[in-house]
Structure formats: C-alpha cells, structure tokens
C-alpha cells in the first residue's frame, strides 16, 4: 500500500518525480531524497553531535558540577531530547515537506515552522564561527613550535606566565599563554561590544572558507552530501583515477569537503532553512540552477552576519547570539509542537501515521513510551525548564581572564538579545491570528484550522476521508486552493483531498485511476 512507505521507498508526488507544473515551460527538478537510510542517520548524528555540541558540552559539564551534571543531562535526553527528536523527524518524514509546509498537519500552528526556521538561521550564523576558529587553529598548527606556547610573542602581555607557582594572591592576575593567544591573537578582543573595532582579515578568510565548505556540501542536495565516494559517482571513474585528477580546482572542493565531518551539523542546518523556502516556492526555485544560486545567496547572507563576530568585538556578539537566540526560547517552541501534535492533531492519529509509514519494524514498538512522553512528560519538561530558566534569569556577562574581571553587557545590547529571541517565537501567535482572520475569523474557521490541510490519499486513514477541511471552506468562498485544484479519492464518494498548500505548490494532477477530478 502507498501508506506503508519507509525511508527508502516513500511514495513520491508528481513534483518529486520531476513533472512540470501546468503552464510551465521548464521542467521542475525533483525534490531531493536521501539515497540510503544510513545517510539520513549519519546526518542526524552529525546535526545532534556537531562541532557546537563538542564545544558546548565540556564547558557546561565543568560549569555545573562535573560528573554530577550527567544525571540531569541524561534525564533531559530521555524525557525531552529523544522524544522531541523522534516527533520532529516523524512529522517531517510523514509530510515530506520543509519546516513550514509540514505544519499543514495543524495549520493554525504553522508559525512553529517559521519560528524554527528563524532559530536555525541564527544558529547557522554563529555556529559556523566555531568552525572558523577550528580552521584558524588548524592552519596555525603548521609550525615547528605551536604559537600558543610560551610568553615571548608579540601578542603576550606582562601578565603572561607559563608556571603558576607561589602565593595564590600573587598569581591570581596571571594569564597562561594559551588564553593570551586566544584573546589577543585569535580574537584580538576589544573592551566591549560598544567597541567593535575592525574585522580581522585572517578570521574573515577562515569564515569564508567555512561557508565555501558548507556550500560545496549542500549545493547538489542531500543525496550527494551523504556520499563521503561522490567523486567516483560523478565522474564514473574508479577512485584511484579520480584521485589523480584532484589538482583540478573544479573537483577539489567537492572531494575535500565530503571529508569534513565537522561540517555535518552545519550543512544539515543550512539545508533545513533552504528546504523550507524552496518547498514554499518550488516553481520559482526548482528550475535550472536557481536552487544552487539561492543556496549561495543564503550562505552569503549568513557570511555577512558572521562577519560581525570576527571583528575585535565579535566575541561579544557571538555570546549574544548564543545566549538569547539558541537557548531557552527553543523550549517554548518545542512545547507548542507537542501541544499541536498531541492534543490538536491527535496522538492516536499521529501514531497511526507512523505505523503507516514504517510498518512493522522495531522502532514502532517504542510508541507506547513516546505517547507518554509526547502527551505528559515532555510538555511538563519543556515548560518547567523554560519557567525555571525565566525565574533564575540573569543578564548576560562575559568572564575575562586575569585582572580584567567580568564584562557586563549594556542595556541596549541586552535589548538586542531579547529581540533576537522574540523574532522567532513571536511568529507563532502572529501566524495563528493571521490565518484565522484571513479565513473569516469565525468559530468554524478556527475548528478547520485545527485540522490537517492538503493531505494526499496515502497520508489518510480510511476514517479520514470525508472530513471537512479548510480546503472545503476555501472552495465555498471561491478563494485559495480549494477553488483551483481539488480531487476526490476513488469513485468520488469519499470526500475531497486538497493536494496543494498554495497556488505555487508546483504539483501536477495525480495519475488517472487514483484520483478523480472533483
């Protein structure tokens, strides 16, 4: 059956098969799919255990009690991280759409998709700065003596000391050479965010390289990004022959970037933003080389945002992004995700959808535990942590080494931080109100906005056919997709199925024999 698809054999829409939309003179490229389930697994691992996590986890573990930190950490993973990851992957796989259109499951909460896209955009901007630092240290290590050893370099101050012996009061203002190299040479850090200084050209070049790596990884889509032997597939040659031609600048970047495992987390994040927008405008962006150009445009925007983090005051900007845009606000968005799926779309219907997709495999047997988490434990977890973090909130500061003390951010900078946080979450109520008012601001419109919109036949259970949806209301009002493309299933007695999110969905009519035009 069409509904019993899995990661390897999902049912594809006419758009995914490469058919052109009605009235289109140019063939639309099919929507990229993972080549193997293993590639998808590696991408998920890369995104979950990326360079940002390697950088952040030891710091948080040290700051919060060492080994004792692992107890609350694993509790958070069991009751929050894994269930939410499972839910988001299942929603995306079932809808086979980007972060915005997948929330057609619960149209009134489509702002969740927009909020998530904005959060990931901010994360991409500052996570690649971490990769920039890694590149900087990598290139700096090509010396006979590592530059962060010793106190006899131009960037060292009088407070630099290799050995901290003697009275504690006498050594408290001393700074080790590793820290001085980091602050004075790598960052060239200023005294505050109000003294941004100039962009450090060496860091800027490393940032540019980092974005070139990311672009090379994703410009041809997710299918090729998972292939660490893509060069052999592209050229049709054995690897021994491919390697001899790597002096060509045309082939070298694609080969080398496939070997950067640290870029996995980054290109998955960028792909998430790109897919959300491309799925919204496929007729515009899935023709010719438009998607590749668009990906380059997105990378350039993120590169210019990141330039603010490689100036003399860039570390203060980096901390601002990390503290406000990528932390507690995610818990609030996750809470709304759980409520939307568990209590509005319906937890039983969602579990049926998962069984339709996966069939009888081992992961389906985890659903009883997931149901408990999605309906009770995870919402309580997300909201409790969010409330506690709000109660215990302290404004951002930055610890400087030695006698430089703690830098306190000015009020205007804190205001910018809260604006970054609000920029994402504010779209959840805004989109909900907009869609309700757009559809008449009636009680019926509110009810229909809480039902799935535009599901295809293989995404519906037998009892779902005939369910009144927002498409029916649009058709009656003579607006939206309901008035343009509607199809019924089988003999036309089972109700209408709207097969498009909007007029730019790019979908051609389904094959004869499966649908009958309404």
């Amino acid at each position: 059956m069409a509904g019993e698809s899995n990661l390897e054999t999902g049912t594809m829409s006419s758009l995914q098969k490469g058919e052109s939309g009605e009235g289109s003179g140019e063939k639309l490229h099919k929507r990229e799919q993972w080549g193997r389930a293993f590639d998808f697994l590696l991408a998920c691992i890369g995104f979950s255990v990326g360079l940002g996590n390697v950088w952040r986890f030891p710091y948080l573990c040290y700051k919060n009690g060492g080994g004792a930190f692992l107890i609350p950490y694993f509790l958070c993973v069991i009751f929050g991280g894994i269930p939410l990851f499972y839910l988001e992957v299942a929603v995306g796989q079932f809808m086979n759409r980007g972060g915005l259109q997948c929330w057609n499951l619960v149209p009134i909460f489509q702002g969740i998709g927009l909020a998530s896209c904005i959060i990931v955009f901010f994360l991409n901007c500052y996570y690649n700065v971490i990769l920039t630092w890694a590149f900087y240290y990598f290139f700096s290590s090509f010396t006979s003596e590592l530059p962060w050893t010793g106190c006899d370099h131009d960037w060292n101050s009088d407070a630099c000391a290799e050995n901290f012996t003697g009275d504690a009061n006498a050594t408290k203002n001393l700074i080790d050479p590793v820290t001085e190299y980091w602050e004075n040479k790598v960052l060239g850090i200023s005294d505050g965010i109000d003294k941004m200084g100039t962009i450090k050209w060496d860091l800027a070049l490393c940032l540019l390289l980092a974005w070139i790596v990311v672009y090379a990884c994703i410009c041809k889509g997710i299918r090729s990004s998972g292939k660490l032997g893509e060069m052999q597939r592209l050229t049709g040659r054995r690897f021994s022959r491919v390697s001899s031609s790597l002096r060509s600048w045309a082939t070298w970047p694609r080969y080398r970037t496939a070997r950067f495992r640290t870029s996995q987390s980054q290109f998955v994040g960028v792909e998430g933003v790109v897919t959300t927008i491309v799925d919204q405008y496929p007729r515009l962006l899935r023709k010719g080389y438009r998607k590749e150009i668009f990906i380059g445009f997105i990378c350039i925007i993120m590169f210019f945002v990141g330039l603010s983090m490689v100036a003399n005051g860039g570390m203060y900007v980096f901390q601002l992004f990390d503290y406000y845009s990528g932390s507690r606000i995610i818990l609030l968005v996750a809470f709304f995700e759980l409520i939307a799926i568990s209590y509005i779309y319906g937890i039983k219907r969602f579990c049926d959808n998962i069984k339709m997709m996966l069939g009888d495999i081992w992961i389906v047997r985890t659903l009883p535990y997931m149901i408990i988490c999605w309906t009770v434990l995870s919402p309580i977890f997300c909201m409790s942590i969010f409330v506690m973090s709000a109660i215990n909130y302290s404004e951002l500061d930055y610890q400087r080494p030695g006698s430089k003390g703690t830098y306190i951010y000015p009020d205007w900078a804190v205001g910018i931080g809260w604006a970054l946080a609000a920029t994402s979450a504010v779209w959840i109520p805004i989109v909900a109100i907009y869609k309700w008012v757009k559809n008449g601001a009636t009680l019926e419109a509110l009810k229909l906005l809480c039902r799935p919109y535009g599901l295809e036949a293989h995404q519906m259970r037998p009892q779902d056919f005939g369910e009144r949806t927002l498409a029916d209301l649009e058709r009656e009002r003579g607006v939206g997709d309901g008035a343009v493309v509607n199809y019924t299933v089988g003999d036309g007695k089972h109700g209408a199925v709207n097969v498009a999110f909007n007029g730019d969905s790019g979908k051609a009519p389904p094959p004869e024999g499966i649908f009958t035009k309404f």
Side-chain angles (χ1 to χ4, degrees):
M1 294 177 61
E4 296 175 349
S5 60
N6 55 30
L7 287 173
E8 293 87 5
T9 58
T11 301
M12 294 191 300
S13 67
S14 57
L15 176 59
Q16 294 166 314
K17 294 176 182 176
E19 298 181 11
S20 60
E22 185 177 353
S24 174
E26 189 175 356
K27 185 177 180 180
L28 297 179
H29 294 310
K30 66 179 182 179
R31 192 178 192 275
E32 293 86 3
Q33 306 289 316
W34 292 104
R36 301 173 299 169
F38 187 67
D39 293 339
F40 171 74
L41 177 63
L42 288 179
C44 290
I45 294 174
F47 190 63
S48 302
V49 192
L51 189 61
N53 304 83
V54 173
W55 152 72
R56 179 189 283 266
F57 181 81
Y59 163 73
L60 291 177
C61 191
Y62 170 79
K63 182 180 178 181
N64 294 282
F69 174 75
L70 296 177
I71 298 175
Y73 172 78
F74 282 113
L75 289 175
C76 292
V77 169
I78 293 171
F79 298 119
I82 293 177
L84 279 164
F85 175 77
Y86 191 157
L87 180 138
E88 290 187 348
V89 170
V91 169
Q93 175 67 16
F94 177 68
M95 292 300 289
N96 201 16
R97 288 291 180 270
L100 187 59
Q101 288 195 21
C102 72
W103 284 101
N104 282 349
L105 279 181
V106 190
I108 198 168
F109 277 105
Q110 205 159 41
I112 292 175
L114 186 55
S116 300
C117 182
I118 293 172
I119 289 174
V120 174
F121 175 85
F122 288 147
L123 290 176
N124 292 335
C125 290
Y126 80 88
Y127 262 38
N128 231 26
V129 177
I130 304 172
L131 190 58
T132 298
W133 297 333
F135 277 136
Y136 189 96
Y137 273 89
F138 176 72
F139 295 134
S140 298
S141 65
F142 289 117
T143 58
S144 58
E145 181 182 354
L146 293 176
W148 49 85
T149 59
C151 292
D152 55 351
H153 301 92
D154 295 339
W155 55 82
N156 293 124
S157 67
D158 295 336
C160 181
E162 297 184 59
N163 298 311
F164 292 79
T165 58
D167 183 72
N169 291 327
T171 60
K172 66 178 181 180
N173 292 329
L174 298 180
I175 305 175
D176 63 277
V178 175
T179 301
E180 285 221 325
Y181 178 79
W182 165 246
E183 284 229 326
N184 300 339
K185 176 61 176 176
V186 180
L187 300 179
I189 194 167
S190 66
D191 293 330
I193 195 172
D194 54 342
K195 298 177 181 178
M196 288 298 296
T198 59
I199 293 175
K200 294 188 84 271
W201 66 268
D202 47 1
L203 281 182
L205 289 177
C206 289
L207 180 63
L208 178 62
L209 174 61
W211 278 114
I212 291 175
V213 167
V214 172
Y215 177 78
C217 283
I218 70 172
C219 67
K220 290 300 181 182
I222 55 177
R223 178 180 290 271
S224 63
S225 65
K227 293 282 187 288
L228 295 253
E230 176 67 1
M231 285 299 300
Q232 180 173 330
R233 185 188 73 83
L234 288 175
T235 61
R237 301 177 180 177
R238 296 182 60 85
F239 182 79
S240 59
R241 293 189 62 193
V242 172
S243 60
S244 65
S245 66
L246 288 178
R247 282 172 287 185
S248 166
W249 284 105
T251 59
W252 176 255
R254 290 288 301 282
Y255 169 72
R256 289 305 303 167
T257 53
R259 304 188 63 85
F260 274 106
R261 272 324 229 171
T262 54
S263 66
Q264 282 276 7
S265 64
Q266 189 63 16
F267 78 70
V268 172
V270 177
E271 182 69 30
V273 174
V274 169
T275 301
T276 297
I277 302 174
V278 171
D279 278 358
Q280 194 69 10
Y281 304 102
R283 292 184 185 228
L284 177 65
L285 297 175
R286 284 209 190 119
K287 293 181 180 179
Y289 292 97
R290 293 182 185 179
K291 182 179 178 181
E292 288 85 349
I293 295 172
F294 178 70
I295 293 174
F297 176 71
I298 290 293
C299 289
I300 289 172
I301 291 177
M302 294 180 182
F303 167 75
F304 279 110
V305 174
L307 280 179
S308 65
M309 304 178 205
V310 295
N312 296 121
M315 175 52 75
Y316 303 106
V317 179
F318 177 90
Q319 295 283 344
L320 206 64
F321 270 73
D322 179 56
Y323 192 75
Y324 287 100
S325 66
S327 55
R328 58 180 60 84
I329 201 67
I330 298 177
L331 293 170
L332 186 62
V333 176
F335 174 79
F336 284 111
E337 288 182 1
L338 292 162
I339 297 301
I341 294 297
S342 299
Y343 295 101
I344 299 180
Y345 180 73
I347 193 65
K348 184 180 185 304
R349 182 171 183 172
F350 185 61
C351 290
D352 289 343
N353 296 153
I354 294 176
K355 294 174 183 177
M356 289 163 56
M357 286 193 297
L358 302 180
D360 186 22
I361 64 173
W362 67 270
I363 199 169
V364 173
R365 298 185 181 93
T366 65
L367 283 178
Y369 168 73
M370 292 299 170
I371 290 173
I372 296 174
C373 288
W374 292 336
T375 56
V376 180
L377 298 181
S378 295
I380 292 176
F381 162 80
C382 288
M383 190 49 64
S384 298
I385 299 296
F386 179 78
V387 171
M388 284 190 291
S389 64
I391 293 174
N392 297 321
Y393 167 77
S394 59
E395 292 187 352
L396 179 62
D397 57 39
Y398 181 58
Q399 299 290 335
R400 299 291 305 278
S403 61
K404 297 179 181 179
T406 301
Y407 173 75
I408 305 298
Y409 279 72
D411 292 340
W412 63 266
V414 173
I416 292 176
W418 279 112
L420 288 173
T423 299
S424 56
V426 72
W427 290 104
I428 298 177
I430 287 177
V431 171
I433 294 171
Y434 166 76
K435 294 182 78 70
W436 184 53
V437 172
K438 177 185 176 182
N439 288 280
T442 63
L443 182 59
E444 182 191 26
L446 183 62
K447 291 180 179 178
L448 295 180
L449 283 167
C450 294
R451 296 176 184 173
Y453 180 88
L455 295 185
E456 299 187 31
H458 67 273
Q459 295 172 313
M460 300 173 71
R461 306 169 302 174
Q463 63 266 38
D464 298 331
F465 294 114
E467 179 182 51
R468 181 171 171 79
T469 68
L470 190 63
D472 298 302
L473 179 63
E474 289 178 343
R475 184 175 62 252
E476 293 165 3
R477 296 173 60 206
V479 298
D481 293 332
V484 179
V485 182
N486 277 283
Y487 299 90
T488 56
V489 180
D491 57 6
K493 298 179 181 179
H494 298 89
V497 180
N498 186 283
V499 296
F501 172 72
N502 57 29
D504 196 32
S505 68
K507 288 192 176 182
E512 292 293 333
I514 298 179
F515 294 96
T516 303
K517 197 165 185 179
F518 186 81

